[in-house]
Amino acid sequence: MNDDPISNDSDNPCFEQLLAVLPGHGRRRRRLLQFGLGSAALPFFGWPALAATLARPGIGFSPVAASTEDAVRVPEGYALQLLFAWGDPVSAGPAFRGDAENSAAEQAEQAGMHHDGMHFFPFVSQGQASSTHGVLCVNHEYTDENLLHPDGRADWSPAKTLKSQNAHGVSVIELELKGSGADRRWQVVRPSAYARRITARTPMKIDGPAAGAGPMRTADDPDGKLVLGTLANCAMGVTPWGSYLTCEENFNGYFKGLPTPTAAQKRYGISGERAGYRWHEHDRRFDVASEPNEVNRFGWVVEIDPWNPIAAPVKHTALGRFKHEGAMVTLAGDGRVVVYMGDDEPFEYIYKYVSRDRYDAGNPASRAGLLEVGTLHVARFAADGRGQWLALEHGQNGLTEANGFVDQADILIRTRQAADFVGATTMDRPEWIAVHPQSGEVYCTLTNNRQRLAADAANPRAENAFGHIIRWREGGEASGDAAAGRFAWDVFVLCGDPQHADPARRGNIRGDAFSSPDGLWFDRDGRLWIQTDASGSVLGRGDHERFGNNQMLVADVFSGEIRRFLTGPKGCEIAGLTATPDGRNLFINVQHPGEVAGGRANAAQALAGSGWPASQFAELTGGRPRSATVVIRRQDGGVVGA
């Protein structure tokens, strides 16, 4: 979710400018815009040959129609179960109260608000990963104060501030599939030794080059190595050693800025007018005038050990500070850890981190420092279908003290400014990133950017209302290695409405129409799952009139076919997905059902936008719309989507 204004006023070249310096650029630009889905915008080196060697999983369900119903709809032959909603206890805690009268202390033991990214970690026995028993980590991105409290934002108080902070962060819950036949259902294990809540007040460590740096020190933490809490937790990542990475996205809105912000604060959207959560009124950490450095301690990737409830989460500064949508982790050929990340705001960048050391699955000690010591890069896309990764390393690419970058800590705290300086390519809201499990191809959703005035190769539409998905191959035709310094890229699909009066807004989808791609995930067989996030201000009206509610689709990356698998309830975003190792249980999140224009409910009319999940599941009673995790299974027990 991101409705922030543009904070990037750098003059980095767009593709239109890059095209202009190339011979024959007019012909090339025409060619770019003529290619369709699944074919290279410019030569996507080696893709046809590689595709021929890979198994093609195919799509095995009949698509559902677009919907405006206040319910989750799935294909015929599939069953749906409600699993874990806002306010449900994570363990042996208090039950949810539909009148929102749960206290701040109770909220600290319950599911937070607005579920987003998540991952299923299976129990392992005798080398076998279980598909019936595991631990689920779930992000809670933000709160709607008008639903969280009985009287909404009125009479703001320390108790309301604390409850809001406790509704942020992450839930860790234990799950087990029990029963047989039609009665087989997933259950949250209560009580559980693994269950816990991580909130905006949980103590966590800071490591990497920026730990202890002057801009990270505060009155409460003069060493700059310990911070309270994580917030704005959007998408996520998973490490090869089985830990969970939660990502801090729109952290700026929690801080009351100065009347005249500094250049560094302005670049991150810190404003005296945008402290929408009012935390600063009762927690001075969020008042920049009182504590100017606290804001530098948010905007990071946070590692959580799901198996150790007493382990403190760790913020990894080596991965840079920006509005992290997610952190897609893979391994280079030599065992180095590679993390792909998008900065979710219009005209921001795509990043890649490469560890210095190598991961050895047979040596647990090898994981130490892998997310602490390495090189952060930012992407520059060239108009000829090639690209390169520019190192954001002190002393390289002009990132020197003479040019305003004091040291590596300074570069990482001001990652956006460093990316501006080296000439990275501005993109249309980079969000989730996914890596094909066999080919290693990398895909990234660019959700939309109505503020783009001129089209270019990688962002080929002005006023990009519908978004698109790009992909790239590391090393181009040669190595294909994740740690490569160069890549070849193309536009995978342009989203749009094929019935739109404006040809530029019809897109080139082969299959079911959709807009605003956000969540992105490959299943074990190589099907690409796409989730959408058209905001409540556009759903069902104007350009988005024919799309219906937000949805989830499946793409065959070989043929380019895309089918609609699921539609969500009114006003929701479909956010987060994971599966059991056998692929027979798919978990997805329904976020902010009932969202209206402006994004905040009316406290006096809580059910005006949606009554979900009570509108669909008879075991619940109404009172508040609630974000929730649902489980989808095939009625015949087969692999979901196959």
Side-chain angles (χ1 to χ4, degrees), residues 14 60 83 87 104 107 117 163 169 203 259-260 281 298 358 401 424 449 497 508 536 579:
C14 294
L83 178 69
Q107 177 63 79
K163 185 176 181 181
T260 303
E281 296 177 21
F298 292 87
R358 294 164 173 78
E401 187 170 3
N449 184 2
D497 176 2
N508 59 6

Side-chain angles (χ1 to χ4, degrees), residues 495-512:
C495 306
D497 176 2
Q499 302 179 54
H500 203 287
D502 181 357
R505 300 199 175 196
R506 293 174 186 167
N508 59 6
I509 299 169
R510 294 178 184 170
D512 295 317

Side-chain angles (χ1 to χ4, degrees), residues 562-629:
I562 298 178
R563 295 186 195 176
R564 186 182 300 109
F565 179 84
L566 172 150
T567 58
K570 294 180 179 180
C572 82
E573 168 190 351
I574 303 300
L577 67 165
T578 185
T580 52
D582 62 7
R584 299 173 189 272
N585 306 271
L586 187 69
F587 303 85
I588 69 131
N589 283 327
V590 175
Q591 188 186 104
H592 61 65
E595 182 190 59
V596 296
R600 296 295 185 269
N602 183 332
Q605 298 177 313
L607 296 172
S610 169
W612 195 88
S615 61
Q616 183 170 8
F617 296 96
E619 65 266 31
L620 299 180
T621 56
R624 294 286 191 278
R626 301 165 67 187
S627 297
T629 304

Side-chain angles (χ1 to χ4, degrees), residues 204-213 216-217 221 223-228 296-298 300 313-317 372:
M204 47 194 66
K205 300 175 182 177
I206 302 170
D207 75 5
M216 299 290 282
R217 300 173 188 167
D221 176 30
D223 293 331
K225 296 182 178 180
L226 181 68
V227 62
L228 291 183
N296 297 328
R297 293 143 64 86
F298 292 87
W300 304 102
V314 181
K315 296 196 178 188
H316 291 301
T317 65
E372 294 180 55

Side-chain angles (χ1 to χ4, degrees), residues 265-486:
Q265 292 165 356
K266 183 179 179 181
R267 185 64 184 85
Y268 282 87
I270 310 301
S271 166
E273 302 174 355
R274 293 187 61 79
Y277 289 87
R278 300 179 65 180
W279 291 3
H280 65 283
E281 296 177 21
H282 302 288
D283 187 340
R284 66 176 182 81
R285 292 189 299 146
F286 296 93
D287 182 357
V288 175
S290 298
E291 186 47 81
N293 285 346
E294 186 72 16
V295 69
N296 297 328
R297 293 143 64 86
F298 292 87
W300 304 102
V301 173
V302 185
E303 184 175 13
I304 297 168
D305 184 345
W307 302 106
N308 186 355
I310 65 172
V314 181
K315 296 196 178 188
H316 291 301
T317 65
L319 276 62
R321 173 175 167 262
F322 47 89
K323 294 186 177 182
H324 287 272
E325 176 72 22
M328 177 65 211
V329 184
T330 189
L331 292 176
D334 61 3
R336 284 181 290 169
V337 173
V338 176
V339 187
Y340 294 104
M341 299 165 285
D343 186 351
D344 182 9
E345 193 170 280
F347 302 109
E348 291 302 337
Y349 306 121
I350 296 172
Y351 296 87
K352 177 174 80 170
Y353 168 86
V354 182
S355 68
R356 181 194 64 187
D357 300 326
R358 294 164 173 78
Y359 172 65
D360 178 359
N363 177 17
S366 70
R367 71 186 64 168
L370 291 176
L371 299 180
E372 294 180 55
V373 184
T375 303
L376 184 65
H377 305 76
V378 66
R380 177 190 285 168
F381 292 77
D384 63 354
R386 296 173 174 84
Q388 66 181 119
W389 293 104
L390 305 170
L392 300 181
E393 190 75 15
H394 196 252
Q396 298 184 34
N397 297 314
L399 296 173
T400 64
E401 187 170 3
N403 287 323
F405 297 94
V406 177
D407 53 21
Q408 187 61 22
D410 185 29
I411 289 171
L412 294 169
I413 294 168
R414 298 191 300 128
T415 302
R416 282 182 167 182
Q417 293 94 318
D420 295 341
F421 184 85
V422 302
T425 301
T426 59
M427 307 295 286
D428 286 352
R429 284 187 61 194
E431 298 217 31
W432 288 55
I433 297 175
V435 177
H436 192 285
Q438 285 84 44
S439 73
E441 303 288 349
V442 189
Y443 291 69
C444 177
T445 50
L446 300 170
T447 296
N448 52 48
N449 184 2
R450 289 178 177 270
Q451 300 170 85
R452 179 174 291 279
L453 300 179
D456 59 44
N459 305 277
R461 291 182 293 194
E463 298 181 14
N464 184 8
F466 299 139
H468 56 291
I469 300 174
I470 61 168
R471 64 179 173 185
W472 62 88
R473 170 177 295 171
E474 296 285 11
E477 186 176 13
S479 71
D481 191 85
R486 296 184 178 274

Side-chain angles (χ1 to χ4, degrees), residues 137-151:
C137 292
V138 183
N139 285 352
H140 303 294
E141 185 180 8
Y142 70 103
T143 54
D144 184 337
E145 310 301 341
N146 287 332
L147 296 177
L148 185 64
H149 315 288
D151 58 349

Side-chain angles (χ1 to χ4, degrees), residues 8 10 64 199 201-202 209 218 253 258 262 276 279 331 348 366 404 522:
N8 187 356
S10 69
V64 300
T199 75
R201 301 187 65 85
T202 301
T218 66
L258 303 173
T262 66
W279 291 3
L331 292 176
E348 291 302 337
S366 70
F522 275 107

